[in-house]
Amino acid sequence: MMRLPVFRLHQPESLSDAMALLASSDGETRLVAGGTDLWPNMKRRHQSADVVVSLNRVAELSGIRGEVGGEVRIGATTTLAAVAASPIVRAAYPALARAVESISSPAIRNMATLGGNLCLDTRCTYYNQTEEWRTSIDFCLKEGGTICWVAPQSPRCWAVSSSDAAPVLCALGARVRLLSPAGEREVSVADFYRDDGIDYLTKQPDEVLTEVVLPPSDGVQMSFWKLRRRGSIDFAVLTAAVAVRRDDDGVVSEAAVWLGAVASAPVRSEAAEAVLVGNALTPEVITEAATATRKVATPLDNTDFTLQWRSKMVVHYVEAALREVAGLERERLAPNHAM
Amino acid sequence: MTPPRPGQVIAPDQAPPDSAAGSTHEDDLRIVGTPFRRVDGWAKVTGQTRFADDMTFPRMIHMRLVRSTLPHAFIQSIDTSKAEEMAGVVGVLTGKDMPEPFGILPVSQDEHALCLEKVRFVGDPVVAVAALTEDQAADACSAVKIEYEPLTTISSVDEALETHEPLIHDYGDEGNLHKKISLQFGAVEDGFAEADEILEDVMFYEGSTHLPMEQHAAVAVPEGGGRITLYTSTQTPHYVHKVLAQVLGMPASRVRVIACSVGGGFGGKSDIFNHEIAVAKMALVTGRPVKICLNREEVFYCHRGRHPVLMHLRTGFTKDGAMVAQHLKTALDGGAYGSYGVASTYYTGALQTVTYGLPRYRFDSIRAFTNKPPCGPKRGHATVQPRFALEVHLDKAAQRLGIDPADLRLNNLLPPDSITANYLKVGSIGLGACIQAVVDGSGWRERFQSLPHGRGLGLACGSYLTGAGLPIHWNHLPQSAVQLKLDRTGTVAAYCGEAEIGQGSDSVLAACVAEVLGIGLDDVLLCVGDTGLTPVDLGSYSSRVTLMVGRAAIQAAERARDRLAEAVAEKLDVPADRLVFAESRVFDSGSPENGMPFAEAVQQAEEKFGALATTGSYAPPRAPGRYRGSGVGPSPTYSYSACVIEVEVDPETGLYRVEHVWIAHDIGRAINPVLTIGQVEGSVYMGLGEAMMEEQVFRRLPKSRSSALVHKVPSMLEYKSPTFHEMPPVTTYLIEDPDPEGPFGAKEVGQGPLLPVIPALANAIFDAVGVRIDQVPIGPHMIRKALEDKEAGGDGRYGPKSFPDIDFGVPLMVPTPDEGGDGRATNTEEAGVRKGSGTMTDGVRKGSKP
Ligand SMILES: Cc1cc2nc3c(=O)[nH]c(=O)nc-3n(C[C@H](O)[C@H](O)[C@H](O)COP(=O)(O)OP(=O)(O)OC[C@H]3O[C@@H](n4cnc5c(N)ncnc54)[C@H](O)[C@@H]3O)c2cc1C
Ligand code: SF4
């Protein structure tokens, strides 16, 4: 069996106690919520800690507040199962419900949290392996080595941003609230990420993500499509999240087109958005917008599936998501691989 | 004709043959043929079953292994001094403590419990450490320092053919080739000269692993009197016993192996593994019970799974689709050790002849050593790859000749009771009924080639052994034995060396005994898989258990019945042949009220004869082949299956979904229809996994930067195996045509139904979108590539381009039965092959040390 290393675990019951523990702990200190990312990473010795502070018992961090049509706030430790089941989320942000529902498996969604999902470590098939395996190939940049095995000439790490909620929240213009001893701040989900496989969050180590703030969704049409090998458990190798506002004649006034799992952060396609804005969602416009995403997505060979094919699928998946929003018959994609 | 119902049992018209192996007349049977609850089911669903990792003993310590991080290297030094001083550490072992080589086949004694001079793949175990806790053992493992001198690595068959130095092993048929075979049955070239059409294909079947839910575990317990007991998750306690005694240098009588219930084997627990030997040695050295439970990554390193095989198939057909000659070449990527590889190599050619008439046949094969975990037997043992090639090849032939693929097969079925060109004796063949069932069930006649673009149907068939005809260690002993002990309570204890691996062998044993003695399943007490207490059964491999254990059990039970009948007849004063055993009673068939309870019958017999025990045993009939290599392929009887798959393909992306599977299996007789349908569905699941996504593949890092050659994804998350989202509805038909060799007419079901699934998918994809994917697993990118190729005016095919140029030398020539052959080769000297029919026992150089 793979075993966890030894560390001290705190389970505070209030946010202030948690903050105090974070400030006072000696040695390497980490936060944990559902643990579905942190514990496997610690077992494989990717991440270590002398002290782990659990947010699981902090009641004030959990729950969904607001109503359909208004601003909605989701506490960081709300489980993915609760987010997916929430009538508010399902009515106001169906793409978010769909994304969250697609994450891993039912058992994991019962433990995993939305905050943890947004902070999820980046992934790479050269990296998410046991310590012995990594010793065999020699450690890469993400672990203090001198080489990236995916792109040996590259000075940076290209590990993949694998949160399914992130691209949807970006497309919806959501924000996250961060609390630290220095105070509280709010930042857009888009700015929460940095396109770097190692330093993938702009969050400071002492900041706790407390809440996700979703703007009112009136009149926004949205969709989320996910490509992966199997209908459950697997991480995405590509996601497309789109949100569109149309005026009365069906002309697009606002558009957001985001891709997940193709870089170290969610990727926005301004070119695709530019094609959409000012046009009606005809099949031709949709195809043109989808084709425009091709340039922004530069996936590398560090996930499941062959690289060339995965790159080609970007256009198909964006197209499918946009066709769904437009109410057009969507591409005949094998349904197990998307929604 | 109305399509058959799902699960419907279809009996061909002819009356079942009389059989020496229990009655085959349905009217006489009470348990056999009814869906009864499996005898180990209650314990399994309530958590009472003790798997090897559940075993715990006073003073037990825990062991872990330090595994090689290099794919190919000499071991320069091993420093365990720091580990030995660490908290909790009780014992440390290295290769020197167990220098005796071993291997499952006598002909490939090339493994060591812990590597001696050399490591041969990433994951090869080098040091064992035992400590009071598993954490302490793991920590101490990290403190072991091993220095290596790296060697050139070999990652593929092509590299093995090119690389003459270094050699992965210092034995084998040639260079880094473990095995090289060339066999010719009949005047093959004459056959090709008669052909109207000659079809040639190159196909590739990727390797895959078994992925059992239970990770291998073993607990060794030192016992009084210099004995040792090993509890382990194994399919083959008998072979583990043999090898353990050999490597430990102990008399076999001092070694006891107990096969715990196995949480999935599929062939992956049929070898003896390093950890089983090391844990026993550790128990002897420390004098304490020692446990090891492998982690998932280590299970990927144990492997012994499906060989990656490249195949070249050339067949001559007549205009109406009959095969006149065939030449098959296979190249197996064997991994770092022999394992069952010699048998696997032969199996890639052996069963090509048992489904359709094939008068002349040539088979050439190599198995290469590579620096990867060793391949071995996985469900359908090495017959799956050439079956894929053959069935896709036939689909192409049908297309070329303008014949319906179902008719092409139906018109050319091998007749029952044939002796094939390669001297396999085939008895009953239910393949025609199988094809008919899936053709009717799927609406094939109306729907094949008529569905909208993107939807398709594919058909394929298969066949498998019901037990290998020959044992691994050549001898004339029974291959299975059962002992029954009858006591005054009416309980019948059945002792048998068989290993329950989830397939239901315990239930078969209990059912055969209960059926013959007319008692309930609950009245049979089982003691199985214990080399100390039970008579030998060779193990749960080659689909042998139902037939061989069943036959032995029936014999033992019939002997017991005869004894009881004699005593009861005397007591009741009726002729013994008028007595009936049923409802836990023994009574006069003439006047049923004249009888006694079974327990009383046992008491009567005990009074008359003394304590009651009987035995039964089984050895398969001798096969007609007398040439070297004829030992692989013979079986008491063969099962047959046919499958139709319906698939939906998205031509834009290449993504596809299996919509439905219809599968018919010729089982002879279903001892328990529910369990057998479970085996069929399990085979469909595993077959789809291999067809769609499973692959045991490796990553070689840029040579300029690293010498690494590692398993690409040794984890259950990234090694893709279907979930139930990918599992389509399955309609199963059991075809019952009792075979005289089988117990109550039964044939195997554990492996055969997997075979047709894989080619049926490839054929269905062709029907859906018109492209040929000549390799598995079939990824969406392959379909896209083939479609792009077709759009660009190509032949719309994705697959390997060529087979390596290999000099197979002079083939061993064996005239066929039709040519007047007697099963012997005619040019043994010229072909440079030793005489005799043994294949796994002798004939080539032994491992590093004999
Ligand atoms: C088999 C498997 C499949 C998976 N499939 C998917 C998938 O398809 N899609 C997907 O998106 N994810 C997937 N995941 C990843 C993971 O389960 C989810 O992303 C989950 O939401 C993580 O949440 P958690 O609460 O368990 O995180 P944790 O493991 O508790 O934490 C993850 C990280 O976030 C930090 N953190 C957690 N909460 C906070 C906070 N409030 N403030 C600051 N930092 C915080 C932790 O310190 C840690 O570094 C999968 C995981 C597994 C094991
Ligand atoms: S992208 Fe490169 S540096 Fe980053 S984890 Fe993968 S191999 Fe390591």
Side-chain angles (χ1 to χ4, degrees), chain B residues 80 297 454 515 688 751 758 798 813:
Chain B
T80 59
E297 182 171 350
E515 182 70 56
L688 285 178
Q751 312 193 62
I758 300 111
Y798 187 98
M813 305 292 277

Side-chain angles (χ1 to χ4, degrees), chain B residues 245-287:
Chain B
Q246 170 194 336
V247 180
L248 296 177
M250 288 169 71
S253 59
R254 292 285 173 276
V255 177
R256 178 176 172 196
V257 175
I258 299 177
C260 296
S261 274
V262 172
F266 313 110
K269 293 169 183 164
S270 334
D271 280 69
I272 170 153
F273 290 96
N274 315 67
H275 67 270
E276 293 175 307
I277 302 171
V279 80
K281 182 76 184 179
M282 189 68 87
L284 289 171
V285 169
T286 60

Side-chain angles (χ1 to χ4, degrees), chain A residues 124 126-127 140-142 148-150 157-159 302:
Chain A
C124 167
Y126 288 85
Y127 177 74
C140 68
L141 289 175
K142 195 164 159 71
C148 167
W149 291 116
V150 181
C157 164
W158 297 86
N302 56 357

Side-chain angles (χ1 to χ4, degrees), chain B residues 313-336:
Chain B
L313 190 54
R314 182 164 168 260
T315 309
F317 292 91
T318 63
K319 278 196 295 296
D320 33 270
M323 291 191 275
V324 286
Q326 183 172 91
H327 184 180
L328 169 67
K329 291 190 273 186
T330 64
L332 292 78
D333 179 344

